C-alpha cells in the first residue's frame, strides 16, 4: 500500500501543477461575437486593433493574426486593464506613425520590420518602451501604472 502511495504522489503533484494550464485552455472557447465590436482600423497606412473591454472582446483581439506589436495597458497591484491610454508609435528616425487617443486596454499593430519607440500616456503620466520588429514572433509590450489616479 505504501508503494502505491509513493507512486501516486508524483502523478498527483503533476496534475495539480497542470491545473492552471487547463484553466487557460478555456481561452480557446468560442467567442460570442454579438457583443464584440472589434474592427481593424487604419491610420497612415498602418492597421491596428484597439479594445479588449470584456472577456469576449479581449479574446477576439488575442486571437487576431498578423499583428506584430501587441500592447497591454494595466494599473495597480492587481494589473487591472485600462482603456484610457494615449499612444504614439514612432519609427527609428522619430517620425510619428500612429497616434491613438483613449486606446486599449489591448492594442495590436501591424508594422513593417524595423525599430520603433512607443509612448503611452495615461492621466499625464508617460511610459516608454521600444520594439525591434522582424519577421518572427510578435513583440509584446506591457505598460503599467501604479494607481488608477
Amino acid at each position: 500500500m505504501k508503494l502505491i502511495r509513493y507512486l501516486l504522489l508524483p502523478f498527483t503533484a503533476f496534475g495539480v501543477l497542470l491545473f492552471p494550464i487547463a484553466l487557460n485552455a478555456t481561452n480557446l472557447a468560442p467567442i460570442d461575437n454579438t457583443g464584440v465590436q472589434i474592427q481593424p482600423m487604419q491610420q497612415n497606412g498602418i492597421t491596428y486593433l484597439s479594445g479588449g473591454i470584456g472577456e469576449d472582446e479581449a479574446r477576439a483581439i488575442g486571437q487576431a493574426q498578423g499583428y506584430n506589436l501587441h500592447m497591454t495597458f494595466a494599473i495597480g497591484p492587481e494589473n487591472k486593464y485600462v482603456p484610457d491610454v494615449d499612444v504614439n508609435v514612432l519609427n527609428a528616425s522619430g517620425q510619428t506613425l500612429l497616434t491613438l487617443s483613449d486606446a486599449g486596454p489591448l492594442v495590436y499593430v501591424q508594422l513593417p520590420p524595423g525599430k520603433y519607440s512607443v509612448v503611452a500616456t495615461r492621466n499625464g503620466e508617460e511610459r516608454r518602451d521600444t520594439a525591434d520588429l522582424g519577421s518572427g514572433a510578435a513583440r509584446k509590450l506591457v505598460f503599467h501604472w501604479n494607481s488608477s489616479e
Side-chain angles (χ1 to χ4, degrees):
M1 191 64 159
K2 273 188 173 179
L3 179 61
I4 292 173
R5 235 183 291 163
Y6 286 121
L7 290 175
L8 287 179
L9 185 61
F11 290 110
T12 304
F14 185 70
V16 169
L17 291 175
L18 284 180
F19 184 69
I21 294 170
L23 287 178
N24 285 335
T26 60
N27 289 342
L28 300 176
I31 298 168
D32 178 9
N33 287 323
T34 58
V36 176
Q37 300 294 321
I38 299 299
Q39 294 295 323
M41 305 289 286
Q42 279 208 348
Q43 185 182 110
N44 300 324
I46 296 169
T47 304
Y48 68 92
L49 297 172
S50 178
I53 298 174
E55 188 176 331
D56 285 333
E57 199 173 283
R59 283 200 336 246
I61 291 176
Q63 292 176 7
Q65 301 292 314
Y67 296 89
N68 55 357
L69 178 60
H70 299 180
M71 294 178 273
T72 303
F73 310 116
I75 59 167
E78 66 282 348
N79 292 315
K80 180 181 171 188
Y81 279 5
V82 289
D84 55 352
V85 178
D86 296 334
V87 179
N88 289 305
V89 178
L90 300 88
N91 63 14
S93 61
Q95 178 187 12
T96 301
L97 302 177
L98 183 66
T99 300
L100 304 176
S101 296
D102 293 325
L106 303 172
V107 175
Y108 282 25
V109 184
Q110 187 178 46
L111 292 163
K115 294 184 181 195
Y116 299 91
S117 295
V118 179
V119 180
T121 307
R122 184 174 183 280
N123 293 337
E125 199 172 333
E126 199 175 89
R127 300 288 185 265
R128 293 176 174 267
D129 207 341
T130 58
D132 191 356
L133 304 176
S135 58
R139 175 77 160 94
K140 297 177 182 181
L141 302 179
V142 177
F143 295 91
H144 185 269
W145 289 266
N146 291 328
S147 69
S148 59
E149 307 271 341

